[in-house]
């Protein structure tokens, strides 16, 4: 189509429902026949500018470009760059975008990717900016749901864990709210409830059903998709509350017995102890498949943004 060529992707809403469909359809074609796409980005260069630590996201972007026949340059530690000398983000982006064809950038500063896009001569993909957005994780999640659940409509999505600070939760809830027939269950301690800008400003005006509960056992049986996140001790003001609730947010085989046979379990990773290792062998555990689907989604996105396809 060409409508994505040269575009920046800073937040999930930068992609329309139709564009998400286009990207996911291309990713499916790559999965089926990767050899046919191994040269589509030949001669293209991806810059990975990671101002905070990352394993999966950075390697996924790099592997995606290499599988498309392109090359990669960049940094995984800003302390070894001219940033340590005081160079501004604007100047870094002006320089880097004169060398490469596309930039994937992660920063602990909210809004950094949007700022970068204003100075870049090439497309900028936000690979995470603080607690704001992580649009390619949302693409990864959507791609996984499409591949394993057949589409984006008529699902009950259960989010569990830190729903207050989890950017992946906010992004996926917004994305899934754009499709018909979806409902949501939010499982969290009161201290880590999903923000009202999701429930009051997005879901309620659209008439989308949702409930909020504190125990995973009370919700897991209703879920088609369970999206786990980590509950962090440091988020609590009262250690007694943390001790009282922490085991409620550990997914184990006993809790999985309460779930539907066709439910899928997603997690943005890294996990710590919120999913017991014993769950990995359950066929409903999809979080490692999710990682692979994420690489294909990024392959499709970069092919479109660079105008290669």
């Amino acid at each position: 189509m060409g409508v994505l060529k040269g575009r920046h992707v800073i937040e999930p809403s930068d992609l329309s429902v139709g564009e998400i469909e286009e990207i996911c359809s291309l990713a499916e074609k790559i999965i089926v026949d990767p050899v046919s796409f191994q040269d589509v980005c030949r001669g293209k260069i991806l810059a990975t500018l990671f101002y905070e630590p990352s394993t999966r996201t950075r390697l996924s972007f790099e592997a995606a470009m290499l599988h498309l026949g392109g090359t990669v340059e960049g940094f995984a530690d800003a302390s070894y760059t001219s940033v340590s000398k005081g160079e501004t983000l604007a100047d870094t982006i002006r320089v880097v975008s004169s060398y490469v064809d596309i930039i994937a950038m992660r920063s602990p500063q909210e809004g950094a990717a949007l700022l970068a896009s204003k100075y870049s001569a090439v497309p900028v993909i936000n690979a995470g900016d603080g607690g704001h957005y992580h649009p390619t994780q949302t693409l990864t999640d959507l791609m996984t749901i499409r591949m394993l659940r057949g589409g984006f409509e008529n699902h009950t999505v259960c989010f569990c864990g830190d729903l207050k600070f989890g950017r992946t939760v906010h992004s996926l809830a917004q994305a899934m709210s754009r499709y018909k027939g979806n409902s949501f269950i939010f499982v969290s301690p009161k201290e880590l409830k999903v923000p009202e800008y999701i429930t009051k400003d997005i879901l309620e005006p659209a008439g989308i059903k949702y409930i909020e509960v504190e125990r995973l056992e009370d919700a897991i049986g209703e879920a088609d998709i369970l999206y786990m996140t980590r509950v962090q001790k440091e988020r609590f003001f009262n250690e007694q509350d943390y001790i009282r609730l922490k085991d409620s947010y550990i997914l184990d085989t006993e809790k999985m017995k309460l779930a539907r046979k066709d439910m899928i379990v997603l997690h943005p990773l890294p996990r710590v102890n919120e999913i017991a290792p014993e769950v990995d062998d359950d066929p409903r555990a999809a979080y490692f498949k999710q990682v692979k689907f994420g690489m294909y989604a990024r392959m499709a996105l970069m092919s479109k943004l660079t105008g290669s396809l």
Side-chain angles (χ1 to χ4, degrees):
M1 287 184 173
V3 295
L4 286 165
K5 181 180 178 181
R7 294 254 298 275
H8 303 297
V9 178
I10 307 303
E11 56 184 272
S13 61
D14 287 338
L15 298 170
S16 69
V17 168
E19 287 163 349
I20 290 171
E21 178 72 23
E22 182 183 348
I23 292 164
C24 288
S25 294
L26 176 56
E28 280 193 55
K29 292 176 183 175
I30 296 171
I31 291 170
V32 172
D33 185 14
V35 174
S36 294
F37 296 88
Q38 64 185 5
D39 290 315
V40 299
C41 282
R42 182 73 59 192
K44 303 292 186 183
I45 303 173
L46 163 70
T48 51
L49 310 185
F50 278 66
Y51 291 86
E52 68 176 357
S54 169
T55 302
R56 276 151 301 278
T57 301
R58 182 173 60 84
L59 293 181
S60 179
F61 268 109
E62 293 180 357
M65 181 54 85
L66 294 172
H67 279 298
L68 292 168
T71 55
V72 180
E73 61 181 40
F75 56 80
D77 186 342
S79 65
Y80 292 103
T81 73
S82 292
V83 172
S84 63
K85 302 174 185 176
E87 182 175 60
T88 65
L89 176 62
D91 283 0
T92 297
I93 295 298
R94 284 187 180 107
V95 170
V96 172
S97 69
S98 69
Y99 300 149
V100 304
D101 301 285
I102 189 167
I103 294 170
M105 175 184 163
R106 170 169 287 189
S107 171
Q109 302 298 318
E110 296 177 357
L114 178 61
L115 178 63
S117 70
K118 297 183 184 302
Y119 294 95
S120 179
V122 300
V124 172
I125 301 173
N126 182 6
D129 64 332
H132 260 191
Y133 300 109
H134 193 351
T136 59
Q137 180 63 51
T138 306
L139 267 182
T140 295
D141 300 339
L142 291 172
M143 184 70 195
T144 306
I145 292 167
R146 175 180 166 126
M147 295 297 290
L148 300 183
R149 294 289 307 182
F152 304 134
E153 298 181 352
N154 302 311
H155 300 301
T156 297
V157 186
C158 178
F159 293 98
C160 179
D162 180 354
L163 309 188
K164 182 176 182 179
F165 299 100
R167 64 188 174 199
T168 58
V169 169
H170 305 165
S171 293
L172 184 59
Q174 288 180 75
M176 291 296 284
S177 71
R178 299 162 80 180
Y179 298 94
K180 292 186 296 185
N182 291 325
S183 60
F184 299 92
I185 306 172
F186 297 110
V187 183
S188 72
K190 292 187 292 290
E191 295 86 345
L192 299 175
K193 286 178 59 172
V194 66
E196 287 193 354
Y197 88 83
I198 297 291
T199 54
K200 304 295 185 185
D201 297 346
I202 296 175
L203 302 186
E204 290 183 12
I208 297 170
K209 296 178 181 178
Y210 73 91
I211 60 171
E212 297 179 86
V213 299
E214 284 198 28
R215 285 167 30 91
L216 181 55
E217 294 91 331
D218 297 336
I220 192 170
E222 302 300 315
D224 299 307
I225 300 158
L226 173 60
Y227 198 94
M228 294 294 297
T229 64
R230 185 162 55 100
V231 172
Q232 301 170 71
K233 184 178 180 180
E234 59 267 26
R235 301 296 195 192
F236 284 81
F237 296 112
N238 185 321
E239 186 172 359
Q240 289 181 327
D241 286 339
Y242 172 74
I243 292 170
R244 174 175 57 86
L245 289 166
K246 66 182 178 70
D247 290 340
S248 298
Y249 306 104
I250 297 175
L251 183 65
D252 55 23
T253 51
E254 288 303 305
K255 292 187 181 74
M256 288 295 285
K257 289 176 183 177
L258 304 173
R260 294 175 178 174
K261 298 300 182 186
D262 62 348
M263 182 192 74
I264 60 171
V265 182
L266 305 183
H267 191 301
L269 300 179
R271 68 169 166 185
V272 179
N273 65 348
E274 60 276 10
I275 300 178
E278 65 202 38
V279 176
D280 296 352
D281 296 326
D282 191 301
R284 294 168 291 183
Y287 31 90
F288 292 118
K289 293 178 183 175
Q290 193 178 354
V291 171
K292 194 74 175 278
F293 290 136
M295 183 186 72
Y296 291 119
R298 292 179 176 106
M299 289 173 72
L301 178 63
M302 289 193 292
S303 296
K304 291 291 184 181
L305 297 183
T306 58
S308 303
L309 286 175

